[in-house]
Structures are given as C-alpha cells and as structure tokens.
Amino acid sequence: MTESTRAIVIGGGHNGLICATLLAKAGHAVTLLEGRSSIANAPDLEFAPGFFSPGLAHIHTELHPKLRQALNLTSKSTGTKTKTIALDGQGAHIHFYGDKVEGTSVSDVDQAAYASFRKEFLSYAKALTPLLLNRPPRLKNMDRGDQFTLAKLGWSLRFGLGASSMREFLRVGGINIYDVLNELFDNKLVKAAISVDAVMGHHMAPRTPTTVLTYLTRLFAETHSEPSVATKVDSLHRELEASAIAAGVDIKTDAWVEKVIIENDRANGVQLASGQTMLADIVASSADAKNTFLKLAGAANLDAMFVHRISKTRTNGSVARLHLALKDIPSFTNLTTEDLKGRLLIAPDMRYIERAFNPTKYGEHAEQPVLEITIPSLHDATMAPDGQHVMSVNICYAPYHLKQGWDNARDKFTQICIDTLSAYAPNLPSQIIQKELLTPQDIETRFNISGGHWHHGELAIDQSFMMRPIHGTAQYNTPIENLFLCGAAAHPGGGITGLPGWNAARRIIAMTKDKSS
Amino acid sequence: MSDHNYLSTHEPSPFDSGIRAQSQTENWTGWNGYLSPRIADTLASEYFAIRSSCSVMDLTPMEKYRITGPDATAFLNRLVTRDLTKLRVGRVAYVVWCNDEGKVIDDGTVFHLAENDYRLCAQHHQLDWLLLSSIGFDVSIQKETHDIAALSVQGPTSFSALSAAGIKGLETLKPFGILNTNVNGFELTVSRTGFTGDLGYELWAERARADDLWNTLFTLKDTGLFDIRLIGLDALEMVRIEAGFIMPGWDFNTAESTIRADHDRSPFELGLDWIVNFDKPYFTGKSALLAEKARPATRRLLKLTLEGNKPPVGSFIFHGKKGKQTGAVMAQTWSPILKRCLALADVDFIDGHPPNDLWAEIYYQKELKWHVKWARCEIVEGQFWSHPRRRATPPMPF
Ligand SMILES: Cc1cc2nc3c(=O)[nH]c(=O)nc-3n(C[C@H](O)[C@H](O)[C@H](O)COP(=O)(O)OP(=O)(O)OC[C@H]3O[C@@H](n4cnc5c(N)ncnc54)[C@H](O)[C@@H]3O)c2cc1C
C-alpha cells in the first residue's frame, strides 16, 4: 500500500489505546477519539477536593509479556504487587500470597491443598493461552488461522496439561466453583476468597454454572503477573497513553463519537457530538457492542436479527463502586498498615456471597454485600491530601435495575456498605470526609458503558469465545465493512488484559493487508 | 382493536352471513384463523367468473399491519428488498422480505396510505418479525387484520360493475393506485390490486361496514346486469398460477419456519430478482444476497408448461426422460384459458443454468386405476397468462 490507511479508534480505555498504538506501529495513520476529557486522569476522578479515585479498575495485573513486548513497554511494572487478605469477623484474617495461604484457622491440609490447587488451576488457565491470545476460531468456514488456533488449543489442553489434568479440566470446566472448592477445602474463608474471583463482575454467584471458567479467565492474568493496586502516578493508562503518542497516535479528548458514518454499507469515518466529521478507512470501536451497533452504526445499517441479538445481549452490571475520602489511615482489627496496602475482601463464606447475589434476581440490592477494598493512597500519596486517604470499594451485588430506583436507595445502600466495613474497621465512619457511590447506572453514564457492566457485557458461556459479543461478529470485524470491535465487548472480555485491543489490531492489520494485496 | 376471539379455532369472517347465504357446498377451510370457502358453488363457475366476468373473494383473513411514525419509511425500506423511498402516497408495491441470511420470510403488498402511514399486507403472521425489525426505529406497528373488512373484486367486468355500484373515480385509478372514496354513506378505500393477473380491485372498509360493503356489491348482482360471483380459494389457486404469483409456505418454505438447512429460498431462487434492489440503503439480507448474487445459481423456482392434460400433482422433475431427479413440482394446475398444464417447480441448476431437458413423471388415475406418464416440460419466462386490460387506464367498460 502506498498511502497509509487512516484509522480511527473510538475510546481511550486501555484496549482502545493498545489497538491504536499497534495500528500506528503497523504504519496506519491513527486518530484516537476519547469522549472524556482526559485519558488517564479525568477530572471527575477527583471525587472530593484533593481526593482522587483510581478509575474503574482499582486492582489489576500486568499486561501479558508478549503484549508488553509488542507495545515496547519498558518499565518493569505498574503499581505495587499486593496480597489478598480475606477478612474475618473475629480478626482471624487469612492472607493469600502467590501459592501460599496463611492464617490461624487454615489447617496444614488446606495449605497443601491450596498450593496444589493453584498449581493445577494456573496450568488450566495457561492451557487457554492460545484461545485468549488469538481471535476466537470460527467453527464454520474456518480459515487457516482458525484451524491453527484450535490446533494449538487442542495441543495445549492435551499435551500441555497431560491426560489426567485434561480429564480433570474437562470435568470442572463447565461446573460451578462452589462444588469444586467444597471438594478441595475445609476453610470457609479460603473458599469464599477464591470464589470472589470467579464471580466479581459477573451476574453470577458461586453456585452459578460455568463459574470455574470465569475464574480461569481471571486467573489467566496471574499466569504471568501478580495483581497490584491501581494508582494515579503508576497508571497503566498513562503508560499506554505515552506509548500511543510515541507511536504517532493522534489522541483527541473531549471527542464523543456520535455516529459511525456509513456509506455504501462501508464505514468511512465518524461524526462527533460537536458535529465535526472525520473520514477514515477503518473505524475500530472500543465502545461496547450495544453502543457500537445500536447507537454509533445504527440499526438501519444492519440485518434485523443481528440487531435483535445485539439488543438482547445481557449487559446489566451488578458491581457498584464506593469511594471514601478519609481523614486518616483507617484501622482494621488485626491488620497492620502494610496489610492495608493489600486487597481486602469481605466475604465470610460462599453462602454469604450466594445470599448477597439472590436479591439481584428480583431487582434488589444485597443487604450484606461482598466487598473488595483497596486504599490506593497508601501506594500513591498524590491521591489524597497529606496524611489523608482514599478507599475504593468494589461492591457485589448492586443490580443495574433496582426495583425502587437508585435515587431512592443510594443513601441506604451507601450506609449498608459503610456498616459492613465498620464491622471490621470500627472507627471508619468517623473518618469519612466525603463519599461517592457509583451504581451501575452512574457507571453507564459516566463511562458510556451499556448497563455499566464490568465486561461491557456478561461473560457467560453463551456470550464468550466465538459467541462474543454474538456470533457473526466474534472475530473483531463486524457485518459492516471497515468497522471493527476492539474493546472488552469482544473476546476475551473485560478486566485489564489488553487482549481484545491486541487481537483486534492484529485482525485489522491482517485484513487490510489482504485487501491491499 | 376488534374483539377477535383468539381462542376459537376458526372465526367467522365479517362477511359470514353473506358468504353462507351463497355457499352451496359448505366446503370450508381454515385461512389465518378464519373459516373460508374453498369452493362456494362449483370450481368451474368460479374460475370463469374471474376470467370472464366479476368475482368476489373475502380477503379479510389476509394479515394486515398498520405502520406509522416518523421512521415508517426507513423501517419498511430496511425490511424489504425493494426501494420504497420511491413509493408515493396513494401507491402500492409488491414486496418480499428476508431474514439475515437473505431467505424469504414472506411476501405481500405495501400500501402508502399517507405521509408516514403504511399498510403492509402479508401472507403469514408477521407481527413478531416486524417488531423485532423495529428495534432502533421510531415506528408504531399495529396488527389490523381483524379490524379491516376486505373484499377482492376481480375480472374483466370488475371496473364496470364497481362503477355501476356507485364507486366514482375508478376510470383514472391506475394499476397499484389507491382511491379513497365514499359510497352509500361509508368510507371505502379501493386499490387496483389483486392476485389474478387480470383487471381487478381490492376494497377495504372498517369491519363495522362489512355488511354495507357486501350489500353494495350484491344488490348490484340482484339487478341481473352483472354476473358477480363469490369465489373460494381453489379457483384463486388456479388463476394465481396462471398469473405466475407465488405463495410463500406452499411454493417454498418460509425462512422463519424452516428448520432444515437449505430448505428455505432466497428471492433469486424464487425468480424475484426484479424486486431486489442493491442500490438502496441497507436492508435485512442484503449482504447475504450480494454474496449469493456473486455465485452461480444453484436452483430456481421455474415456471413450466407440460405436454398433455394431466396435471403433475406432486410430481418429481427429471433431467431427461427417466433421467436424474432434479426437482419437484410445488404448485400445478390445468389452465382452462391456456389449455395447458402449468407448474411451478423447484429445479436444481447445473453450473448456474437450468437443465436443458426437463421431464415430469405424472401419476394419475382412470376409474381408480393408477397410471404413470412422462411429460416434457418447457420453461416459461414471465407470466403464463396476462391480459392488456390489466394495465389499461381507463379500463375497458362492459
Ligand atoms: C465498577 C467496576 C469495577 C471494576 N474493577 C476492576 C478491577 O478492579 N480490576 C479489573 O481488572 N477490572 C475492573 N473492571 C473492569 C474494567 O474496568 C473493564 O473491563 C475495562 O476498563 C475495559 O477496558 P476497555 O478499554 O475495553 O474499555 P473502557 O475502559 O470502558 O474504555 C472505553 C473508553 O471509550 C470511551 N468511549 C465510549 N464510547 C465512546 C464514544 N462514543 N466516543 C468516544 N469515546 C467513547 C469511554 O469514555 C472509555 O474511556 C471494573 C469495572 C467496573 C464497571
């Protein structure tokens, strides 16, 4: 190709940034359009004067080493490694670090079981690598890439795992985490802490089928890195923004895309909310699938059943976020300040999680929620005024559609969360200067994510892999020529993995090469 | 909404008393939840009423939907394969619509009644598909099948008969035109449309006016000036084949009721290329149809005439006499006006072309004894039968 392809990437989340950077590195002229006023540190993250929230992902792992390499990311890591602490009402907390679990209530048997569980499940997660690091293979009309991915997946399951592990993987792959953990452990808190990873961000609880699979997709990140608390200085988004700029991406903020311009059934640009239009040969959208197809592309440009299926994808979020501005360091019973740098979980046992989930089926919020707590200001002093602190809490479960309406429940639900916290940190209420609760509806408006869903759409088995977001657009290209998906709505889903953005970029590069050759 | 009883197996039509009074045979069948005559008197007299005088058929059971709202045109244009932006107010168009795979769901007619106000008539129930297709469009879709009483008045004397019945303005009404008028004190909509390939009209009134509409026609019959005859579905089947019109669900399996792969049909496979327009905005099935168009044809619904006088009921079609089976007859009739056997047959193509030597194997009985014969088939392009009076404006008076 003599002239470089003009590409527009919609959305400056980490997937949009990664996709844009890789397209620019491949020689495309890339413009990235982010609707919010900044990529990394949007002003609305300052939820109280001088107090900054960490953005949506408050704890995450590093990007896959191959992806870091593709992006030429140099710095060793973002954030500080952290451990998980499952809080106990009596102060007998349990500490998880790597394949170790420690706590007065944890038996030797459970400790050994934990080490072998980690080993086994990490190997399952690793066996999924070919599936996660590639576009999901089509099962009909496969091309060589599809066949290769399937072959690699088959190989890694059969030979990477070995016969007996593969058998076990196939056994547990489709069942729920509740049964599996009950088989393996005695300690309630251990089981609950593990199962939080299987359900947080999903409309699922430990007894929901396929929660082993959701656990594995989350665990995949830990095959190459350990989680760290997201902060302001050490922001991954900031690092990715710098690498995008270095690759020549033209980043425009305050640039809400209102429409993808489609002529002769092909995407050839975008129209911004300001009315400005921009032409491009390729448009890659990291907005979720409902936004991309129903709002940006428009039903009139798509087949009716396709539109119907997109409109029926399940995108209602069930996680809320609480930000607290604190006068000083909170004190939790039996935890040191060093411990507070970790990820604290309030989920006493698996039934507690299940019970917190049940009301969401009926449009009600949990009365005793599951909480995931970080205090990022302990890692990054710039996030709060001197000596003061920020607490960020992911809350399960808060349904998108609340029967009584969130306006009528916001204060009550905030209080429920604070009460739940103060059972472990009794003086917390007196330390609170300001609080901000983001319900799934708030997340929807603020970040333009349909339903405010963690994964831009439920990551259930029928909305995964070659069916993500739906079949017919599961390989990043869409029914509309030159329009692509590159965000969490695409395979393999949300969380800070960068895999959708990476896979999409490779797909776009391959498809434009095919066309020009 | 009418108080149509959805629980009853077969509802009487709003014209029930009139129809019963004329039905000599009690030969009923179900049609879209209504009790409809197959034959009211004799098949021959009904057929010849259509072809030589004036026939009347109850059209009420046909599915009817009212589509209104600011996006009505855009919605319909995305639904059907034809370009409806060119359909002016007061005009009707024959249309088909497809699923995402470009397979035909149903056919029907779109009536552009007023700005942003359309009626869509369909062979089969379509409310679910219409609602599903309406996501993202500002339209309202109302089923009005039971709210509108409709009669089809077809035949060479239909223009004169309807004019004599007091309907004014028909002389300037062109084929596929709509006329809103008032007759004997009630509102009547007349469209110059039909399913017979001949001069004819369809009359639409509010259900409450069904008796008025019926009486308008049959008091004229009582004068003895016109042979106005009630017909049933069997006669219609004969003339619609002569006219080359297809029946979704009979001539081919409709897409949304097809389970087995390859049992549904695209507009191209049905010979409807002329209503597929790729130079219009996107419509459901467009991508699939573009891809199909780029491939050689694998099969077509062909119009065949057959030698002899035995209709090919349920016949297979063969390539060469006693050769390889290559298709099947989907609809057939003996055409009295053409003195020929006619068939619509689903035929496999070879390298994009129809086999050059087609034969039908026909089973028939003589005094209950079965016989078999082979009949050579000729492919016919266009309608088997048509008449210039279908298009003449004003139509010839009788
Ligand atoms: C409450 C909550 C808590 C979470 N916590 C964690 C966590 O602790 N750890 C973790 O790993 N993951 C977490 N997640 C999930 C994670 O945040 C997402 O999966 C991830 O951000 C998806 O990345 P993305 O780049 O695909 O999309 P996003 O990060 O959503 O980025 C999309 C970007 O596109 C922009 N945009 C959208 N539409 C338009 C438009 N029309 N025009 C211009 N710009 C547009 C948006 O403003 C946004 O910046 C959480 C999610 C939620 C909802």
Side-chain angles (χ1 to χ4, degrees):
Chain A
M1 201 180 290
T2 45
E3 252 175 84
S4 65
T5 317
R6 292 164 307 164
I8 285 174
V9 174
I10 302 171
H14 77 297
N15 280 314
L17 287 164
I18 288 169
C19 184
T21 306
L22 295 173
L23 290 180
K25 280 175 179 290
H28 298 321
V30 187
T31 307
L32 182 144
L33 303 170
E34 168 56 53
R36 288 156 60 75
S37 58
S38 95
I39 296 289
N41 297 318
D44 58 10
L45 298 185
E46 187 173 0
F47 66 99
F51 291 89
F52 295 86
S53 74
L56 279 184
H58 69 177
I59 184 152
H60 59 79
T61 45
E62 258 176 33
L63 301 177
H64 193 275
K66 284 191 183 163
L67 176 55
R68 293 187 63 83
Q69 201 184 343
L71 292 165
N72 298 110
L73 295 184
T74 44
S75 66
K76 268 303 288 162
S77 71
T78 53
T80 359
K81 303 272 172 292
T82 187
K83 61 179 170 184
T84 291
I85 303 171
L87 301 186
D88 173 66
Q90 264 59 57
H93 309 312
I94 295 181
H95 297 236
F96 297 80
Y97 198 88
D99 57 4
K100 287 198 181 59
V101 55
E102 281 158 11
T104 49
S105 67
V106 186
S107 67
D108 292 351
V109 178
D110 270 352
Q111 281 184 16
Y114 187 73
S116 71
F117 164 79
R118 283 283 293 189
K119 188 162 165 268
E120 188 78 5
F121 274 65
L122 279 168
S123 76
Y124 300 160
K126 203 163 187 151
L128 295 176
T129 310
L131 187 55
L132 301 178
L133 263 51
N134 285 290
R135 68 185 144 101
R138 277 172 304 200
L139 296 181
K140 231 168 102 180
N141 308 324
M142 283 199 254
D143 66 14
R144 284 181 50 203
D146 294 326
Q147 289 165 352
F148 194 55
T149 301
L150 268 189
K152 275 196 295 187
L153 180 65
W155 179 274
S156 93
L157 287 176
R158 177 62 188 80
F159 299 104
L161 287 180
S164 75
S165 279
M166 184 180 85
R167 211 176 304 122
E168 181 62 7
F169 170 77
L170 292 178
R171 185 181 75 87
V172 299
I175 64 176
N176 64 51
I177 196 91
Y178 183 89
D179 289 346
V180 172
L181 296 178
N182 273 335
E183 281 173 19
L184 297 175
F185 302 104
D186 287 329
N187 191 297
K188 282 186 190 171
L189 213 45
V190 170
K191 291 188 273 194
I194 298 170
S195 56
V196 166
D197 280 349
V199 301
M200 186 168 279
H202 308 283
H203 187 71
M204 297 178 184
R207 281 173 166 167
T208 310
T210 74
T211 35
V212 170
L213 209 56
T214 51
Y215 178 70
L216 290 176
T217 46
R218 171 140 179 175
L219 192 66
F220 173 73
E222 294 188 39
T223 63
H224 50 80
S225 128
E226 277 146 22
S228 51
V229 170
T231 61
K232 193 156 151 260
V233 284
D234 234 355
S235 149
L236 174 71
H237 284 88
R238 201 183 247 205
E239 191 187 10
L240 291 174
E241 181 182 20
S243 93
I245 291 168
V249 176
D250 178 16
I251 297 181
K252 296 198 190 317
T253 50
D254 286 316
W256 284 112
V257 176
E258 202 157 74
K259 244 187 169 51
V260 172
I261 301 171
I262 295 164
E263 268 169 26
N264 300 324
D265 310 326
R266 265 184 223 113
N268 69 353
V270 298
Q271 185 189 317
L272 301 182
S274 64
Q276 192 196 340
T277 60
M278 298 176 68
L279 297 183
D281 307 300
I282 282 166
V283 178
S285 170
S286 70
D288 64 87
K290 281 184 182 166
N291 266 314
T292 301
F293 291 117
L294 305 184
K295 295 206 182 128
L296 301 183
N301 292 301
L302 292 157
D303 288 323
M305 187 58 90
F306 181 89
V307 167
H308 171 74
R309 291 193 293 125
I310 287 288
S311 75
K312 291 291 172 197
T313 52
R314 300 186 304 288
T315 52
N316 288 342
S318 49
V319 181
R321 169 63 69 72
L322 178 66
H323 296 134
L324 297 177
L326 302 176
K327 269 199 226 124
D328 36 38
I329 300 183
S331 78
F332 279 74
T333 319
N334 273 353
L335 288 184
T336 65
T337 303
E338 194 53 32
D339 290 338
L340 293 182
K341 288 184 173 176
R343 165 185 182 244
L344 315 181
L345 292 182
I346 297 181
D349 66 64
M350 292 198 289
R351 283 163 186 247
Y352 174 100
I353 306 174
E354 197 73 34
R355 271 196 299 269
F357 175 63
N358 287 341
T360 64
K361 302 172 192 166
Y362 312 105
E364 292 155 18
H365 57 66
E367 292 295 330
Q368 291 185 303
V370 174
L371 304 182
E372 179 191 66
I373 305 145
T374 63
I375 306 171
S377 50
L378 284 172
H379 301 269
D380 175 359
T382 69
M383 293 182 76
D386 255 3
Q388 306 193 316
H389 286 279
V390 169
M391 183 184 279
S392 167
V393 188
N394 276 342
I395 309 156
C396 297
Y397 296 86
Y400 175 79
H401 283 300
L402 195 70
K403 224 166 26 190
Q404 74 217 80
W406 274 112
D407 283 345
N408 302 318
R410 181 180 298 278
D411 293 343
K412 182 189 165 211
F413 192 61
T414 307
Q415 198 51 51
I416 285 176
C417 295
I418 292 170
D419 291 347
T420 308
L421 288 164
S422 42
Y424 302 83
N427 66 347
L428 186 78
S430 65
Q431 294 176 294
I432 299 172
I433 302 172
Q434 193 108 306
K435 50 200 177 214
E436 176 188 56
L437 179 77
L438 299 178
T439 68
Q441 289 185 3
D442 301 325
I443 292 164
E444 175 176 70
T445 355
R446 193 184 276 194
F447 299 93
N448 203 29
I449 300 171
S450 298
H453 197 288
W454 182 298
H455 291 277
H456 289 194
E458 192 63 19
L459 200 60
I461 194 98
D462 63 319
Q463 297 189 166
S464 297
F465 311 122
M466 46 290 272
M467 289 177 299
R468 185 161 188 84
I470 60 170
H471 73 83
T473 186
Q475 294 197 317
Y476 308 100
N477 51 316
T478 69
I480 295 171
E481 206 176 315
N482 301 337
L483 176 66
F484 294 83
L485 293 176
C486 66
H491 171 78
I496 305 300
T497 66
L499 298 178
W502 184 25
N503 291 346
R506 285 182 295 165
R507 178 72 167 155
I508 294 167
I509 291 163
M511 284 186 73
T512 41
K513 228 183 248 157
D514 281 354
K515 225 193 272 173
S516 62
S517 60
Chain B
M1 279 298 267
S2 73
D3 44 12
H4 187 81
N5 180 1
Y6 293 88
L7 295 177
S8 79
T9 315
H10 287 133
E11 279 285 279
S13 143
F15 301 109
D16 189 57
S17 58
I19 293 172
R20 276 184 190 280
Q22 303 207 17
S23 171
Q24 311 285 319
T25 58
E26 300 286 334
N27 186 352
W28 306 101
T29 186
W31 176 21
N32 263 348
Y34 283 92
L35 205 55
S36 292
R38 292 174 69 104
I39 295 172
D41 183 346
T42 63
L43 182 57
S45 66
E46 289 170 28
Y47 171 84
F48 283 108
I50 303 171
R51 286 289 176 240
S52 11
S53 59
C54 180
S55 66
V56 175
M57 200 187 92
D58 178 12
L59 210 56
T60 309
M62 187 167 61
E63 291 289 342
K64 300 180 276 294
Y65 301 92
R66 194 62 168 263
I67 292 152
T68 53
D71 288 346
T73 308
F75 162 76
L76 281 166
N77 215 29
R78 191 311 205 88
L79 179 78
V80 305
T81 60
R82 216 174 167 172
D83 190 356
L84 288 184
T85 54
K86 302 199 176 84
L87 185 71
R88 284 174 285 122
V89 171
R91 301 288 300 162
V92 184
Y94 171 70
V95 293
V96 289
W97 50 101
C98 298
N99 66 5
D100 292 16
E101 288 72 41
K103 300 298 183 179
V104 176
I105 290 178
D106 205 356
D107 72 351
T109 41
V110 174
F111 290 66
H112 198 169
L113 301 174
E115 211 51 53
N116 295 326
D117 184 0
Y118 294 86
R119 175 177 297 145
L120 176 68
C121 295
Q123 196 63 247
H124 299 281
H125 182 81
Q126 294 298 323
L127 190 59
D128 46 352
W129 183 257
L130 297 179
L131 290 175
L132 184 152
S133 298
S134 73
I135 299 169
F137 293 89
D138 187 359
V139 285
S140 134
I141 298 167
Q142 293 285 332
K143 175 163 166 142
E144 56 177 19
T145 305
H146 312 304
D147 307 328
I148 305 288
L151 291 176
S152 178
V153 179
Q154 306 277 319
T157 67
S158 56
F159 163 68
S160 299
L162 290 177
S163 301
I167 300 174
K168 295 195 175 55
L170 292 179
E171 57 287 345
T172 53
L173 185 62
K174 295 196 175 117
F176 293 104
I178 302 171
L179 171 74
N180 293 307
T181 180
N182 193 296
V183 60
N184 297 337
F186 68 96
E187 303 280 321
L188 182 68
T189 299
V190 182
S191 56
R192 190 167 162 188
T193 46
F195 207 48
T196 62
D198 203 326
L199 175 65
Y201 301 88
E202 290 170 336
L203 279 50
W204 317 82
E206 281 184 21
R207 188 185 172 95
R209 293 304 194 162
D211 286 343
D212 294 333
L213 176 54
W214 187 266
N215 292 335
T216 301
L217 293 175
F218 286 96
T219 47
L220 179 67
K221 180 188 170 88
D222 294 341
T223 65
L225 289 174
F226 291 93
D227 175 29
I228 298 177
R229 192 174 287 269
L230 177 68
I231 66 152
L233 291 166
D234 285 9
L236 183 72
E237 173 71 2
M238 294 173 71
V239 296
R240 72 96 182 172
I241 295 173
E242 290 176 340
F245 294 139
I246 56 167
M247 287 277 277
W250 283 269
D251 300 347
F252 68 97
N253 219 51
T254 58
E256 289 302 290
S257 65
T258 301
I259 295 163
R260 294 167 188 82
D262 244 26
H263 281 216
D264 43 14
R265 292 293 178 264
S266 76
F268 298 135
E269 291 172 328
L270 298 172
L272 297 173
D273 311 45
W274 64 283
I275 49 168
V276 178
N277 188 341
F278 289 131
D279 301 323
K280 64 171 244 188
Y282 197 80
F283 60 88
T284 298
K286 186 178 183 184
S287 297
L289 290 173
L290 276 167
E292 184 187 338
K293 187 92 187 159
R295 297 187 300 262
T298 55
R299 64 165 84 84
R300 288 286 181 268
L301 188 69
L302 295 179
K303 296 189 194 74
L304 303 178
T305 56
L306 295 88
E307 56 183 19
N309 62 1
K310 302 282 180 281
V313 182
S315 290
F316 284 119
I317 300 292
F318 295 81
H319 185 196
K321 189 175 180 179
K322 302 188 178 178
K324 184 171 173 286
Q325 186 191 315
T326 187
V329 169
M330 306 307 294
Q332 47 66 38
T333 188
W334 165 256
S335 165
I337 203 161
L338 292 169
K339 311 248 178 314
R340 287 291 250 169
C341 279
L342 314 177
L344 302 178
D346 192 49
V347 175
D348 293 337
F349 274 31
I350 302 165
D351 300 330
H353 299 284
N356 52 18
D357 185 28
L358 293 173
W359 289 77
E361 187 189 32
I362 303 171
Y363 285 78
Y364 65 98
Q365 281 182 313
K366 258 186 199 160
E367 294 182 330
L368 294 184
K369 186 170 179 338
W370 281 102
H371 297 266
V372 61
K373 66 166 263 193
W374 287 82
R376 188 190 293 277
C377 310
E378 295 292 336
I379 298 172
V380 173
E381 300 292 338
Q383 296 178 294
F384 290 117
W385 181 86
S386 72
H387 196 284
R389 69 178 163 243
R390 183 189 181 200
R391 304 202 178 275
T393 309
M396 277 183 288
F398 270 88

